[in-house]
Amino acid sequence: MRGKYVIYPLHLGTIVRPKINMAYMKDPGTEEEYPIIAWYLTDGFHKIMVDTGGIPADGLHYLPYMQTPKQTMERSLRRIGVLPEEVTHVISTHLHWDHIGSNHLFTNAEFFVQLVELQYAFAPLPIHKGGYNAAMIRETNYNTVHGDCDLLPGISLLSTPGHSPGSQSVLIETKEEEYMITGDCIALYECYESEPMIPNGVHTDLIEYYNQMERIKRMKKKVLPGHDFKVFTQGCYQ
């Protein structure tokens, strides 16, 4: 059973992208740095990852993309006393390259993704093909889920499509709050706090995207966005 998690954001590298990539139609012509983020959750019993970051930065792929030696998944987990093989569950908010790149390290974990996301990843529209690495996705044996579901005590999955057809958010109970890790459904705090709210610049269904952002706002949970440096202003959430 258990529940009541502590949430640790892991900074696994930095990408440089046009602002409109993260915030639709916002500040065209400008570029900014954005973190690649994964999340470690534990209630003292379950050990869970939400996303696993990108592939190791090699100076060749997904540029501009930088990663210091301290930002590898292994080093990031070691700092909080965790080994990858101890992780029991991995939840993928979606299957873009910067969210599944270290899946192979979690050799004893069960993996969870929305079925429609897995299907789309192998046959995306040409404009979205660059976001998916089919060979890397095939290396993971996924359990598929269909829409909203309770995964574990204190952990629920919410279908929040729009950025991709099978994007999902993760609702987590901690001692003090309920937090929602939104993946790229809400990329930046700025996107969530603007009026009107701003979707990610990469999306497959803009109307559905707005519907899901409005749904998240109605739920009134503490939101943890997918690519915002501000999530690191406190070491963990509990």
Short mmCIF file of all heavy atoms in Angstrom, two decimals, residues 156-180:
data_model
loop_
_atom_site.label_atom_id
_atom_site.label_comp_id
_atom_site.label_asym_id
_atom_site.label_seq_id
_atom_site.Cartn_x
_atom_site.Cartn_y
_atom_site.Cartn_z
N SER A 156 -1.88 8.53 -9.67
CA SER A 156 -2.89 8.37 -10.71
C SER A 156 -2.36 8.92 -12.03
O SER A 156 -1.60 9.90 -12.05
CB SER A 156 -4.18 9.12 -10.33
OG SER A 156 -4.74 8.60 -9.15
N LEU A 157 -2.79 8.30 -13.12
CA LEU A 157 -2.44 8.74 -14.46
C LEU A 157 -3.65 9.41 -15.09
O LEU A 157 -4.75 8.88 -15.02
CB LEU A 157 -1.98 7.57 -15.32
CG LEU A 157 -0.88 6.68 -14.73
CD1 LEU A 157 -0.50 5.58 -15.71
CD2 LEU A 157 0.32 7.49 -14.33
N LEU A 158 -3.44 10.57 -15.70
CA LEU A 158 -4.51 11.31 -16.36
C LEU A 158 -4.16 11.51 -17.82
O LEU A 158 -3.09 12.03 -18.15
CB LEU A 158 -4.72 12.68 -15.70
CG LEU A 158 -5.48 12.72 -14.38
CD1 LEU A 158 -4.62 12.17 -13.25
CD2 LEU A 158 -5.90 14.15 -14.06
N SER A 159 -5.05 11.09 -18.68
CA SER A 159 -4.87 11.31 -20.11
C SER A 159 -5.03 12.80 -20.41
O SER A 159 -6.09 13.37 -20.15
CB SER A 159 -5.89 10.49 -20.89
OG SER A 159 -5.82 10.79 -22.27
N THR A 160 -3.96 13.43 -20.93
CA THR A 160 -4.00 14.87 -21.23
C THR A 160 -3.43 15.11 -22.62
O THR A 160 -2.37 15.72 -22.79
CB THR A 160 -3.23 15.68 -20.17
OG1 THR A 160 -1.91 15.12 -19.99
CG2 THR A 160 -3.94 15.67 -18.83
N PRO A 161 -4.11 14.61 -23.66
CA PRO A 161 -3.58 14.72 -25.03
C PRO A 161 -3.61 16.15 -25.54
O PRO A 161 -4.28 17.02 -25.01
CB PRO A 161 -4.53 13.83 -25.81
CG PRO A 161 -5.81 13.88 -25.05
CD PRO A 161 -5.41 13.94 -23.61
N GLY A 162 -2.87 16.33 -26.61
CA GLY A 162 -2.80 17.63 -27.27
C GLY A 162 -1.39 17.88 -27.76
O GLY A 162 -1.15 18.11 -28.94
N HIS A 163 -0.42 17.86 -26.85
CA HIS A 163 0.99 17.93 -27.25
C HIS A 163 1.31 16.74 -28.14
O HIS A 163 1.97 16.86 -29.17
CB HIS A 163 1.88 17.96 -26.02
CG HIS A 163 3.35 17.90 -26.32
ND1 HIS A 163 4.00 18.90 -27.00
CD2 HIS A 163 4.29 16.95 -26.03
CE1 HIS A 163 5.28 18.58 -27.12
NE2 HIS A 163 5.48 17.40 -26.55
N SER A 164 0.87 15.58 -27.73
CA SER A 164 0.89 14.36 -28.54
C SER A 164 -0.41 13.62 -28.26
O SER A 164 -1.08 13.89 -27.26
CB SER A 164 2.11 13.49 -28.20
OG SER A 164 2.02 12.98 -26.89
N PRO A 165 -0.78 12.67 -29.10
CA PRO A 165 -2.09 12.02 -28.91
C PRO A 165 -2.22 11.28 -27.59
O PRO A 165 -3.33 11.13 -27.06
CB PRO A 165 -2.18 11.06 -30.10
CG PRO A 165 -1.31 11.66 -31.14
CD PRO A 165 -0.17 12.27 -30.39
N GLY A 166 -1.10 10.78 -27.05
CA GLY A 166 -1.17 10.00 -25.82
C GLY A 166 -0.44 10.63 -24.65
O GLY A 166 -0.02 9.91 -23.73
N SER A 167 -0.28 11.93 -24.67
CA SER A 167 0.35 12.59 -23.52
C SER A 167 -0.48 12.32 -22.26
O SER A 167 -1.71 12.32 -22.29
CB SER A 167 0.44 14.09 -23.75
OG SER A 167 1.45 14.41 -24.68
N GLN A 168 0.24 12.07 -21.15
CA GLN A 168 -0.45 11.87 -19.88
C GLN A 168 0.26 12.66 -18.79
O GLN A 168 1.46 12.94 -18.88
CB GLN A 168 -0.53 10.39 -19.52
CG GLN A 168 0.79 9.70 -19.31
CD GLN A 168 0.61 8.21 -19.00
OE1 GLN A 168 -0.49 7.70 -18.79
NE2 GLN A 168 1.72 7.48 -18.99
N SER A 169 -0.50 13.02 -17.78
CA SER A 169 0.02 13.69 -16.59
C SER A 169 -0.08 12.74 -15.42
O SER A 169 -0.83 11.77 -15.45
CB SER A 169 -0.76 14.98 -16.32
OG SER A 169 -0.64 15.89 -17.40
N VAL A 170 0.70 13.02 -14.38
CA VAL A 170 0.78 12.13 -13.22
C VAL A 170 0.40 12.92 -11.97
O VAL A 170 1.02 13.93 -11.65
CB VAL A 170 2.19 11.54 -13.06
CG1 VAL A 170 2.21 10.51 -11.93
CG2 VAL A 170 2.67 10.91 -14.36
N LEU A 171 -0.65 12.46 -11.29
CA LEU A 171 -1.13 13.08 -10.06
C LEU A 171 -0.54 12.33 -8.88
O LEU A 171 -0.66 11.10 -8.79
CB LEU A 171 -2.65 13.04 -10.03
CG LEU A 171 -3.34 13.80 -8.90
CD1 LEU A 171 -3.03 15.30 -8.96
CD2 LEU A 171 -4.85 13.58 -8.97
N ILE A 172 0.12 13.07 -7.98
CA ILE A 172 0.89 12.46 -6.90
C ILE A 172 0.47 13.05 -5.56
O ILE A 172 0.43 14.27 -5.39
CB ILE A 172 2.40 12.70 -7.11
CG1 ILE A 172 2.85 12.20 -8.48
CG2 ILE A 172 3.23 12.06 -5.99
CD1 ILE A 172 3.63 13.22 -9.25
N GLU A 173 0.19 12.19 -4.60
CA GLU A 173 -0.10 12.63 -3.24
C GLU A 173 1.20 12.72 -2.45
O GLU A 173 1.99 11.78 -2.41
CB GLU A 173 -1.03 11.64 -2.54
CG GLU A 173 -2.44 11.60 -3.11
CD GLU A 173 -3.34 10.66 -2.32
OE1 GLU A 173 -2.95 10.26 -1.19
OE2 GLU A 173 -4.41 10.30 -2.84
N THR A 174 1.42 13.88 -1.80
CA THR A 174 2.51 14.03 -0.85
C THR A 174 1.88 14.32 0.52
O THR A 174 0.66 14.38 0.66
CB THR A 174 3.46 15.16 -1.26
OG1 THR A 174 2.81 16.42 -1.10
CG2 THR A 174 3.93 15.00 -2.70
N LYS A 175 2.71 14.54 1.52
CA LYS A 175 2.18 14.78 2.85
C LYS A 175 1.36 16.06 2.92
O LYS A 175 0.39 16.15 3.67
CB LYS A 175 3.33 14.85 3.86
CG LYS A 175 4.04 13.53 4.08
CD LYS A 175 5.18 13.69 5.07
CE LYS A 175 5.92 12.37 5.26
NZ LYS A 175 7.08 12.52 6.19
N GLU A 176 1.76 17.06 2.14
CA GLU A 176 1.14 18.38 2.26
C GLU A 176 0.23 18.74 1.10
O GLU A 176 -0.73 19.48 1.27
CB GLU A 176 2.24 19.46 2.38
CG GLU A 176 3.18 19.25 3.57
CD GLU A 176 2.47 19.39 4.90
OE1 GLU A 176 1.46 20.10 4.96
OE2 GLU A 176 2.94 18.76 5.88
N GLU A 177 0.53 18.25 -0.10
CA GLU A 177 -0.15 18.72 -1.32
C GLU A 177 -0.40 17.55 -2.26
O GLU A 177 0.15 16.47 -2.10
CB GLU A 177 0.73 19.74 -2.06
CG GLU A 177 1.14 20.95 -1.27
CD GLU A 177 0.11 22.06 -1.31
OE1 GLU A 177 -0.96 21.85 -1.91
OE2 GLU A 177 0.38 23.13 -0.74
N GLU A 178 -1.22 17.82 -3.28
CA GLU A 178 -1.28 16.95 -4.45
C GLU A 178 -0.62 17.70 -5.61
O GLU A 178 -1.00 18.84 -5.93
CB GLU A 178 -2.72 16.60 -4.80
CG GLU A 178 -3.31 15.50 -3.95
CD GLU A 178 -4.65 15.04 -4.48
OE1 GLU A 178 -5.61 15.82 -4.41
OE2 GLU A 178 -4.73 13.90 -4.96
N TYR A 179 0.37 17.07 -6.20
CA TYR A 179 1.09 17.67 -7.31
C TYR A 179 0.73 16.96 -8.60
O TYR A 179 0.41 15.76 -8.61
CB TYR A 179 2.59 17.56 -7.09
CG TYR A 179 3.13 18.50 -6.04
CD1 TYR A 179 3.21 18.11 -4.71
CD2 TYR A 179 3.57 19.78 -6.38
CE1 TYR A 179 3.71 18.98 -3.73
CE2 TYR A 179 4.07 20.65 -5.42
CZ TYR A 179 4.14 20.24 -4.10
OH TYR A 179 4.63 21.09 -3.14
N MET A 180 0.83 17.70 -9.70
CA MET A 180 0.61 17.12 -11.02
C MET A 180 1.83 17.38 -11.90
O MET A 180 2.15 18.52 -12.20
CB MET A 180 -0.65 17.67 -11.69
CG MET A 180 -1.00 16.92 -12.97
SD MET A 180 -2.50 17.55 -13.78
CE MET A 180 -3.72 17.18 -12.53
#
